[in-house]
Amino acid sequence: MEQNSTEATGEGFYIDLGGVGTSYDFYTWTSDRIPMVSAHRGGPYPGFPENAIETFENVLKFTPSIIELDVAMTKDSVLVLMHDDDLDRTTNGTGKVEEVTYEYIQSLFLEDENGELTSFRVPTLGEALTWSKGKALLTVDIKRSVPFEKIIEEVRSTGSEGHAALITYTFPAAKKLHSMAPDLMLSITIRNEEEIKRLEETGIPWTRVIAFTGLAERPREFNQALHKKGVFTILGVLGNLDQSAVSRGDQIYASFVQNGADILATDRPIEAAKAIKTLTPSQSSKSKYFIK
């Protein structure tokens, strides 16, 4: 994947929500919403490995962004950013995350997507939460071996309730998380009318929901149905749709937004953000949260 040739500015593009109340306002859909990107695994590019704070900072040099990150847990119960169960692909270490200590992980360096070793270390979830304050929204992908209680405890201890949303893949998981932390925003997979009904059966209020609509474009009418409930839609363009943009041109990202996607979850956040920038309304009630 080639990095966008646009020169990065010396300053970052930030989103600052302040507190929980403002996250509810930010994530309440309005017709003047500002379309955004979500950087999958933090937005890795050559020299910038996935799930690294330095990688997050690189993306924010080009565009405001939601940062999607993955959380695993070490043998001694430290929450670290890691997508895979083992360390082999993304670090110069070996072994399963849950079978090694945090002390061991601290000794490692991250590798980028091309297998090139960098000088960047594996961050903890706490470090990422602290870093993101006043800079970016987070969506937290929780690996199966990580107890929900540990995630919520880390969000609470760092005061990150206002800008960290938790990702769920099933309605029972969403219901459990909501019962444990009813103030937190949840990213919930909702791909069709039946799943809208299933969400409503959980009792989770729409004010706590960001709708991940899957990895295929949904009908405009479906996106509108979610908008009428005040809900933002996240379209997963990572994978096939990102590849379509590579082969057919980045303007395809704009067509997704024009069809009702509000946030594009992508492996190409810099390119996608550039393609949808012209769709930002001249005036928006959300502008107050965006800082250059």
Side-chain angles (χ1 to χ4, degrees):
M1 186 183 299
E2 293 184 0
Q3 189 162 348
N4 191 293
S5 60
T6 303
E7 287 289 326
T9 63
E11 299 178 355
F13 292 86
Y14 300 140
I15 301 170
D16 187 359
L17 298 192
V20 175
T22 51
S23 72
Y24 303 153
D25 179 64
F26 184 92
Y27 279 123
T28 297
W29 188 88
T30 55
S31 59
D32 67 348
R33 62 89 177 94
I34 296 174
M36 299 180 59
V37 295
S38 171
H40 183 229
R41 302 187 194 175
Y45 283 89
F48 292 98
E50 64 182 56
N51 285 305
I53 288 175
E54 293 84 358
T55 300
F56 310 160
E57 291 175 339
N58 178 61
V59 170
L60 298 191
K61 290 176 183 176
F62 295 87
T63 177
S65 181
I66 295 170
I67 300 292
E68 187 265 354
L69 50 80
D70 304 279
V71 182
M73 190 168 69
T74 65
K75 181 180 180 179
D76 46 349
S77 301
V78 177
L79 300 180
V80 295
L81 303 196
M82 186 66 55
H83 175 272
D84 298 0
D85 292 333
D86 58 54
L87 298 161
D88 300 65
R89 180 179 65 86
T90 58
T91 77
N92 61 342
T94 58
K96 292 187 177 298
V97 178
E98 64 184 4
E99 294 176 357
V100 302
T101 64
Y102 176 58
E103 182 180 11
Y104 174 68
I105 286 182
Q106 278 184 301
S107 72
L108 305 178
F109 291 97
L110 288 164
E111 296 178 356
D112 71 7
E113 290 185 313
N114 299 321
E116 297 294 327
L117 196 63
T118 71
S119 59
F120 308 142
R121 306 275 190 175
V122 177
T124 64
L125 174 60
E127 289 168 346
L129 290 168
T130 300
W131 165 86
S132 65
K133 289 185 180 183
K135 294 181 181 177
L137 310 182
L138 299 182
T139 53
V140 181
D141 194 341
I142 308 165
K143 298 294 112 179
R144 291 181 181 178
S145 59
V146 181
F148 289 162
E149 292 86 352
K150 293 282 292 182
I151 298 288
I152 294 168
E153 178 184 314
E154 200 73 60
V155 169
R156 299 269 190 240
S157 66
T158 55
S160 302
E161 295 93 339
H163 63 280
L166 307 183
I167 296 173
T168 64
Y169 292 101
T170 68
F171 291 107
K175 188 172 183 178
K176 180 179 179 181
L177 266 173
H178 180 68
S179 69
M180 296 169 68
D183 56 324
L184 297 186
M185 295 296 299
L186 301 177
S187 171
I188 303 175
T189 300
I190 304 174
R191 297 162 295 188
N192 50 51
E193 295 287 347
E194 179 189 349
E195 289 180 345
I196 287 179
K197 293 177 183 177
R198 290 184 64 191
L199 183 282
E200 291 180 331
E201 289 170 359
T202 67
I204 301 170
W206 285 108
T207 55
R208 300 297 182 271
V209 175
I210 312 163
F212 179 76
T213 59
L215 300 175
E217 194 173 14
R218 302 300 163 192
R220 184 188 300 264
E221 295 73 23
F222 175 70
N223 290 328
Q224 289 174 340
L226 289 167
H227 291 160
K228 286 178 181 178
K229 296 181 182 298
V231 175
F232 269 73
T233 63
I234 305 179
L235 173 62
V237 300
L238 50 106
N240 289 338
L241 297 182
D242 268 339
Q243 291 309 308
S244 293
V246 171
S247 59
R248 294 167 50 192
D250 291 346
Q251 70 277 1
I252 193 173
Y253 292 121
S255 71
F256 300 145
V257 170
Q258 290 166 331
N259 196 43
D262 304 307
I263 300 165
L264 302 181
T266 174
D267 286 320
R268 306 176 71 236
I270 296 171
E271 294 84 353
K274 185 178 179 181
I276 67 175
K277 189 174 182 180
T278 58
L279 300 178
T280 299
S282 57
Q283 291 185 321
S284 172
S285 58
K286 310 295 186 186
S287 295
K288 59 191 174 184
Y289 297 120
F290 291 80
I291 301 169
K292 289 186 180 180

